[in-house]
Amino acid sequence: MPTEDAQRGSRDLDPATQFPELYEREYVNVFRAIRAMVLNEQEAEDLTQDAFTRAYRARLRYKPTAPPGAWLHRIAVNTAISHLRRQKLARFLPMRLYQAPDDRDYTRSEARTMVEDALADLSPKLRAAVYLHFYLGYSREEVAHALNIPSGTVASRIAKAMIVMRRRLALPDTEQNSAPGRWNR
Amino acid sequence: MTVDPEHTDSDVVAALHVEVSAWRPSRVPDLVELTDRLADSWRRPVAMASALGAAGLALLLLLSLVVVGLATANVGWAGSVKDHLIHMP
């Protein structure tokens, strides 16, 4: 079930010559992909701008082996993954260099919806796969290109993600709070 | 939005759609804003490298001055060379 934005499509756009149009059509989709991965609105806003800056720099190197949208989402996924890795590394820094998330993050996580909670149970790449496939209606090949994984593994991973999400969404609140927060890859 | 245990994947997808549709960036910056930032992005590293290079050269110059100053101050044979030059036929 592709969204209206995705249906309008950016398949016919060439990033090298039509980057402004691509930017306009895909900005919200890329934001949502990153938002699904990092599960934080403010970070997603910054990372979306970073991703488009990277894409703009790389626009002349685009090869039409995949649709421009998938190419753009690949850059977005890589930007988000680098950010999450940096965040993970920052936890090993001495206390003064690493600033722990403040109370606002706690409040934010309290305000999380059940879908976000279900997404949080998946690994960031799997979250992106779920979003690209079920929300944007990307094919397995396009998801594979965006995530830089073989297309054969996309189907099994998405099916696994679906099981995890269905289970999570079906759980009552009390069980959800005690459920382990480990990522499913 | 809660999904009933007996419900299918389509319920999960529907819940995902409802949730994700509500995600919108607070503002979409003008592309020019991003490209301008990119156009200026070379300035900082170049200024940094230039400053470091200048500081390195200045330090090197200072060090050579010190070395030359110290070396010429205590040369044992400087006097005999001077004598030789003065009494040269």
Side-chain angles (χ1 to χ4, degrees):
Chain A
M1 189 164 44
T3 59
E4 206 177 302
D5 285 348
Q7 274 170 346
R8 230 184 331 152
S10 51
R11 288 171 189 276
D12 51 337
L13 295 176
D14 177 14
T17 54
Q18 295 166 296
F19 196 84
E21 287 89 338
L22 188 65
Y23 177 80
E24 214 164 278
R25 283 192 200 176
E26 293 286 349
Y27 194 89
V28 176
N29 288 337
V30 168
F31 166 77
R32 285 171 176 160
I34 295 178
R35 170 83 167 76
M37 287 181 79
V38 299
L39 296 174
N40 179 305
E41 197 168 335
Q42 191 51 55
E43 283 172 14
E45 299 228 13
D46 295 343
L47 290 170
T48 308
Q49 291 184 22
D50 273 3
F52 273 100
T53 310
R54 286 187 189 192
Y56 183 79
R57 212 181 280 154
R59 72 194 186 285
L60 299 175
R61 292 195 298 274
Y62 167 75
K63 285 182 189 133
T65 47
W71 170 77
L72 210 48
H73 277 91
R74 184 177 182 149
I75 294 172
V77 165
N78 289 339
T79 307
I81 286 176
S82 305
H83 168 79
L84 291 168
R85 270 194 201 132
R86 273 199 306 273
Q87 246 184 2
K88 214 171 174 184
L89 278 176
R91 295 207 176 103
F92 293 104
L93 288 173
M95 290 301 277
R96 281 183 192 178
L97 292 173
Y98 170 60
Q99 220 175 358
D102 57 14
D103 289 346
R104 276 175 301 166
D105 283 331
Y106 177 72
T107 319
R108 214 181 283 143
S109 69
E110 285 293 287
R112 258 191 195 169
T113 63
M114 292 181 76
V115 174
E116 271 189 278
D117 274 340
L119 283 171
D121 274 357
L122 309 174
S123 74
K125 256 194 176 182
L126 213 48
R127 284 176 220 154
V130 166
Y131 166 74
L132 293 173
H133 186 67
F134 292 113
Y135 189 81
L136 286 186
Y138 274 28
S139 68
R140 284 176 200 170
E141 285 70 31
E142 288 168 342
V143 174
H145 182 86
L147 299 181
N148 197 21
I149 54 173
S151 57
T153 55
V154 171
S156 62
R157 287 201 184 181
I158 285 178
K160 197 179 164 190
M162 223 45 197
I163 294 168
V164 172
M165 284 188 74
R166 200 165 57 185
R167 198 183 305 146
R168 186 68 164 165
L169 286 169
L171 285 176
D173 278 352
T174 45
E175 282 180 58
Q176 278 201 11
N177 291 338
S178 58
R182 198 171 290 168
W183 287 345
N184 288 280
R185 286 171 195 281
Chain B
M1 185 168 183
T2 314
V3 177
D4 207 277
E6 307 101 56
H7 283 188
T8 57
D9 285 355
S10 59
D11 296 311
V12 178
V13 174
L16 184 78
H17 268 261
V18 170
E19 175 69 24
V20 173
S21 301
W23 294 349
R24 291 209 159 262
S26 59
R27 67 180 275 269
V28 178
D30 199 333
L31 181 60
V32 179
E33 237 178 83
L34 294 186
T35 51
D36 275 357
R37 208 183 299 164
L38 194 65
D40 288 342
S41 63
W42 61 273
R43 284 173 202 255
R44 205 174 162 187
V46 168
M48 198 70 173
S50 170
L52 278 175
L57 277 176
L59 197 70
L60 197 68
L61 187 67
L62 207 67
L63 209 65
S64 355
L65 279 175
V66 169
V67 168
V68 168
L70 283 178
T72 51
N74 289 317
V75 177
W77 40 264
S80 48
V81 173
K82 198 177 168 187
D83 281 350
H84 171 74
L85 290 173
I86 289 169
H87 300 112
M88 208 168 54

